[in-house]
Amino acid sequence: MQTFQRNIEDKVYKALEDDLRENILKGLLSPDKPILTEPELEVKYKISRKSVRKAIQNLCDEGLLKKTQGKGTFVIPPADRLKTNSRKNLKILFLTSAFIPGEKISSEYEEALVSGMSELAYRMNWQLSFSLIDNLSIRDITSQYKDSKFDGIIWDNTHSSHNKIISSFMGNGIPQVLIDRYLNNVCSVYFDHHTEITDTVSFLASLGHKRIAFINSDSGEIVYKEREDAFFSSLKNLNLKNDYYFRISHLKPFNEFKVLSSALNPPTALLLGGHSFLPPFLAWAGSRKLRFPEDISLICLDDSWLAKTNNPPISVYAEPRNEIGKQALTALERLINGQMRPGEQIRIKGDIIARKSCGLPKK
C-alpha cells in the first residue's frame, strides 16, 4: 500500500514539474513576475501542498526557479540560468543511424529533432556531440564514459539489432534515453502513435466519412503494429467497417493503391501512414486524375515540405520532433541526476493540421 501511494505522489508532482519546466524552457513564464503561488498551484493541479513544494524545489535545484522571501518564486532568466545551473557542464552523446550533422541530414524530421536538442543544449550550456551508430565501438564508448568524456547517451533511429549494444551500456552503468523505441529498463521519449491514429480517425468521422482506408507500412517495427491496433480499435468504437486496411512495402506501393479504386464501395477518405508514401501516392493519384477532397479526402501521418506545398495542401497529423528532441535531452539530464527512474517513458502528442485535402464525403 505504501509503494502504491508513493507511485501516485510521484506522478502528481511530476505532472506539475514537467508543465512548469516546459513553460520555462519555451519562454512562456516571464522572469519579471512570480509564478502562481503554492495554494494556487495546489488548486489548479488538484494536488497536495507537499507535491507542489517538491516540484518547485526540484526546479530550483535545476537552476530554473528561485525563491525570493516575501515576493514569491521567480523564473531565472536564461543568461543567469547558465551561471546558477549546477549541471552546466553536462556532456551528451547523440547516437543515430540517420545522419552526421554537417554532412547530411536524412530528412526534415531528423533536422527538427536535432534543432530542438541543440536549442536546449545552447540555453543550458551543455555540450552535444554526434556519432553514427554504425561507427561506434562498444569498448571505445564504454572507455570514453569511464574517462568522463560524456555523461550519457541519446539514441535515435535504433532497431532491434542495437538492443545488445544498449544492454551492454546499461551493464556498464551508462545513462541512456531512447527516442521512439521501447526497451525494458531504458528511459524513452516517444510519439504517441495510438492517439495519433484515434484522433485522425475521429477527425475524418466527424466530417461524415464512414469508409476510411488506412495504408500502413508492412515493416515489423512496433510503431506500425501500434498504429494498426489503434486503427481497428477506433473503427470498432465508431461502428465503422474495417474493409480498407492495407499493409504495403515502401518499395512497391502501387498495387495497393489500385485496390482503392477497384473496390465496389471505394473509401471516401484515406489515411496515409507516413510521408514516404506521399510522393508515390500523389504520382499515382495524378495519373488517375483523382482530386482532393472532391474524389477522396486525404490526410497523411507526418508533416513534410511536400504536404505543405502540394496543390491542394495535404492535411497531416504533425509529429512535434523539435519538442521530442528537447524532452529527450531533459529526460537524460534528469536521469543522470537521479530525478528519473530507469525505464520511465514520456509520451508526446501531436496535432492535426487541417488543410484543403480534407472535406465532406462525396455524395
Side-chain angles (χ1 to χ4, degrees):
M1 181 63 72
Q2 288 180 345
T3 301
F4 177 73
Q5 185 64 33
R6 192 181 306 117
N7 288 339
I8 293 177
E9 290 174 359
D10 287 345
K11 289 180 180 179
V12 294
Y13 93 79
K14 185 178 178 299
L16 169 59
E17 182 182 324
D18 289 346
D19 274 2
L20 288 175
R21 182 186 294 105
E22 180 179 352
N23 289 334
I24 291 169
L25 295 177
K26 286 183 175 180
L28 300 179
L29 294 177
S30 171
D32 299 327
K33 60 181 181 180
I35 66 171
L36 295 178
T37 64
E38 290 181 0
E40 288 171 333
L41 290 170
E42 184 180 352
V43 172
K44 180 178 179 180
Y45 285 85
K46 298 180 175 61
I47 59 178
S48 69
R49 185 72 59 87
K50 178 182 177 182
S51 294
V52 170
R53 287 174 177 167
K54 186 172 183 179
I56 289 176
Q57 187 57 52
N58 283 346
L59 294 173
C60 287
D61 293 342
E62 288 183 31
L64 297 177
L65 292 176
K66 64 178 179 181
K67 296 179 181 178
T68 303
Q69 190 170 2
K71 294 184 178 181
T73 302
F74 292 80
V75 173
I76 296 177
D80 297 333
R81 202 175 297 160
L82 300 180
K83 301 173 186 176
T84 58
N85 194 322
S86 61
R87 292 172 287 278
K88 64 181 181 180
N89 293 320
L90 198 66
K91 298 182 287 292
I92 307 297
L93 179 60
F94 179 54
L95 296 177
T96 178
S97 60
F99 65 93
I100 285 287
E103 294 182 13
K104 180 182 179 182
I105 293 182
S106 64
S107 78
E108 56 194 280
Y109 300 99
E110 277 73 33
E111 187 175 33
L113 181 73
V114 172
S115 175
M117 295 175 63
S118 300
E119 178 185 335
L120 180 57
Y122 175 78
R123 286 185 185 179
M124 303 304 290
N125 200 26
W126 295 338
Q127 297 176 31
L128 194 59
S129 57
F130 302 83
S131 178
L132 277 175
I133 292 174
D134 294 340
N135 292 343
L136 67 83
S137 157
I138 295 178
R139 180 179 297 177
D140 289 346
I141 294 292
T142 303
S143 177
Q144 289 178 31
Y145 175 73
K146 291 180 178 178
D147 291 340
S148 300
K149 297 291 180 61
F150 67 90
D151 300 298
I153 296 174
I154 293 177
W155 294 82
D156 180 45
N157 266 288
T158 58
H159 305 286
S160 55
S161 59
H162 300 120
N163 290 355
K164 185 176 180 180
I165 301 174
I166 295 170
S167 297
S168 175
F169 289 164
M170 283 178 59
N172 284 286
I174 302 177
Q176 301 172 89
V177 170
L178 302 179
I179 293 178
D180 277 348
R181 276 294 311 282
Y182 322 95
L183 197 62
N184 288 339
N185 300 319
V186 182
C187 292
S188 60
V189 176
Y190 58 94
F191 185 52
D192 191 339
H193 294 287
H194 186 275
T195 300
E196 169 191 42
I197 298 297
T198 56
D199 283 358
T200 304
V201 172
S202 295
F203 166 70
L204 293 172
S206 72
L207 294 176
H209 293 283
K210 299 183 182 301
R211 301 194 302 274
I212 301 172
F214 179 27
I215 292 181
N216 196 18
S217 172
D218 64 357
S219 167
E221 292 294 320
I222 191 170
V223 55
Y224 300 111
K225 182 64 170 67
E226 186 173 323
R227 283 175 169 176
E228 177 182 318
D229 292 343
F231 180 67
F232 287 124
S233 174
S234 298
L235 295 182
K236 183 178 180 181
N237 291 337
L238 294 169
N239 294 317
L240 301 178
K241 292 184 177 180
N242 59 3
D243 298 336
Y244 308 101
Y245 176 73
F246 309 96
R247 289 191 301 170
I248 66 176
S249 166
H250 287 266
L251 301 177
K252 298 179 180 179
F254 291 98
N255 287 337
E256 280 70 15
F257 292 162
K258 293 176 183 176
V259 174
L260 293 173
S261 58
S262 62
L264 291 176
N265 293 303
T268 60
L270 171 62
L271 171 55
L272 204 57
H275 64 278
S276 61
F277 289 141
L278 188 56
F281 179 77
L282 290 178
W284 176 82
S287 69
R288 299 189 60 85
K289 295 182 169 52
L290 281 180
R291 300 167 302 161
F292 313 117
E294 292 86 354
D295 297 318
I296 188 170
S297 285
L298 175 64
I299 188 167
C300 185
L301 302 181
D302 303 334
D303 202 3
S304 66
W305 179 85
L306 178 58
K308 296 171 187 173
T309 59
N310 187 69
N311 185 22
I314 307 301
S315 299
V316 297
Y317 193 97
E319 183 175 339
R321 297 289 285 179
N322 187 282
E323 181 62 22
I324 289 174
K326 292 179 182 178
Q327 290 290 337
L329 205 55
T330 300
L332 183 59
E333 187 266 350
R334 294 179 61 218
L335 179 65
I336 290 169
N337 291 286
Q339 297 170 332
M340 190 171 183
R341 294 184 299 274
E344 194 169 336
Q345 298 178 343
I346 299 174
R347 283 181 178 258
I348 296 181
K349 297 180 180 179
D351 290 300
I352 289 176
I353 301 177
R355 298 183 177 129
K356 294 183 178 180
S357 66
C358 283
L360 301 177
K362 180 180 178 181
K363 294 183 179 180

